[in-house]
Amino acid sequence: MMEHVIQTKNLTKKYGPATVLKNVDLTIRAGEFTAIMGPSGSGKSTLMNVLSTIDQFTGGEVWVEGKAILDLKKKSLRQFRQERMGFIFQDYNLLDTMTVKENILLPLSLRKYKSEEMEKRLQPIVDALGISEILAKYPNEISGGQKQRVASARAIVTNPAIVFADEPTGALDSRSATQLLAQLVDLNRAFGTTILMVTHDVYAASYCQRVIFLRDGGIVNELYAGEQNQRAFYDRILETQSLMGGKLR
């Protein structure tokens, strides 16, 4: 397994005269579950969009799995994104006309995978996420928490190098959020899935192994859970957030 999934050097992003990301040096290691936190306007969503190749950057360098993003042509970049990256969005992005199973397998169907291979990939993931009994249902027949777990399954069924999660608990109640976070931890451990999550929620961040804090477009702090339990890590994140000037929304 490659040690580093993502690396950036002097990463800069501008929108007109405004500099949103300022000389960001970042490394995401294979198998890490990392959160990005920061106040509104800190650049956290922009950073995720740049790292996931959805948005272009203005200066510096970005490598994903050792590939320099600037060296990839538009078609190659799109293919790379589809094959090596997974995405979990706050609003699920499920297709209402497809069953849960069809939604999960859609990325593989589009790539003409054989049904035997799709089934082989499907079962361990839906078992880990606790959604094997709803595969025949449609999105409008399941809860918000189940929808997010379906979206998570779809994100990792392609065996991506990294999963980008954009406020994945934002639309969930506390019970569903806790279940999803615990299952993301299980996926991270069981499959070695690298997860990069943008969140404003200290509780969600406390499930991660590492938390990166942004302010004014730059990294200002980071914490590692190490051997701490979740409660102790939660307290450290909360303290750091307080020292940075309040809630990181």
Side-chain angles (χ1 to χ4, degrees):
M1 180 182 290
M2 181 173 293
E3 183 181 355
H4 299 147
V5 176
I6 286 178
Q7 287 181 285
T8 73
K9 183 177 181 181
N10 296 326
L11 175 62
T12 301
K13 173 65 179 178
K14 294 184 179 181
Y15 290 109
T19 302
V20 183
L21 297 175
K22 302 173 183 175
N23 300 318
V24 174
D25 292 336
L26 174 65
T27 297
I28 302 295
R29 296 173 182 82
E32 276 191 331
F33 188 179
T34 303
I36 298 176
M37 302 187 76
S40 179
S42 63
K44 57 185 184 296
S45 294
T46 300
L47 178 60
M48 174 170 281
N49 288 339
V50 167
L51 296 181
S52 62
T53 74
I54 292 174
D55 199 358
Q56 296 179 335
F57 51 97
T58 308
E61 298 177 88
V62 178
W63 297 269
V64 181
E65 285 197 306
K67 295 181 183 291
I69 295 302
L70 287 176
D71 291 343
L72 296 176
K73 304 290 186 182
K74 191 173 182 179
K75 183 177 179 181
S76 299
L77 190 62
R78 184 174 64 250
Q79 184 178 359
F80 184 71
R81 186 188 309 125
Q82 291 172 345
E83 293 180 356
R84 304 304 298 143
M85 298 178 181
F87 298 87
I88 304 173
F89 302 99
Q90 183 175 332
D91 58 358
Y92 320 127
N93 283 5
L94 301 179
L95 298 177
D96 292 334
T97 57
M98 290 185 169
T99 65
V100 164
K101 180 177 180 179
E102 290 167 342
N103 267 283
I104 295 171
L105 293 178
L106 181 60
L108 300 183
S109 298
L110 292 174
R111 295 179 212 165
K112 311 296 184 185
Y113 273 70
K114 293 182 179 179
S115 58
E116 297 83 5
E117 176 63 22
M118 290 194 288
E119 291 292 336
K120 182 180 178 181
R121 292 195 183 199
L122 177 72
Q123 204 56 52
I125 294 171
V126 297
D127 287 345
L129 286 167
I131 54 174
S132 57
E133 295 186 1
I134 63 168
L135 292 179
K137 293 187 176 184
Y138 288 85
N140 64 357
E141 299 175 318
I142 62 178
S143 70
Q146 289 172 323
K147 288 178 183 177
Q148 196 57 293
R149 280 180 269 162
V150 172
S152 300
R154 182 185 57 193
I156 70 167
V157 75
T158 58
N159 191 27
I162 187 167
V163 170
F164 294 95
D166 187 5
E167 298 281 7
T169 62
L172 303 180
D173 59 51
S174 58
R175 181 173 178 272
S176 296
T178 297
Q179 288 179 339
L180 176 67
L181 290 164
Q183 285 158 338
L184 287 177
V185 170
D186 289 343
L187 290 174
N188 171 255
R189 291 173 178 168
F191 299 100
T193 306
T194 307
I195 304 173
L196 184 62
M197 175 174 70
V198 163
T199 184
H200 68 269
D201 185 359
V202 174
Y203 180 68
S206 70
Y207 277 80
C208 298
Q209 300 159 359
R210 177 187 180 197
V211 180
I212 297 168
F213 296 90
L214 291 187
R215 182 177 288 283
D216 298 328
I219 296 174
V220 293
N221 204 345
E222 60 180 302
L223 300 176
Y224 287 86
E227 299 301 317
Q228 290 178 309
N229 61 32
Q230 184 200 338
R231 179 66 208 190
F233 196 39
Y234 173 91
D235 289 340
R236 282 184 66 206
I237 298 168
L238 194 62
E239 180 183 10
T240 302
Q241 176 180 272
S242 177
L243 291 171
M244 290 179 63
K247 226 170 188 182
L248 299 178
R249 285 186 179 274

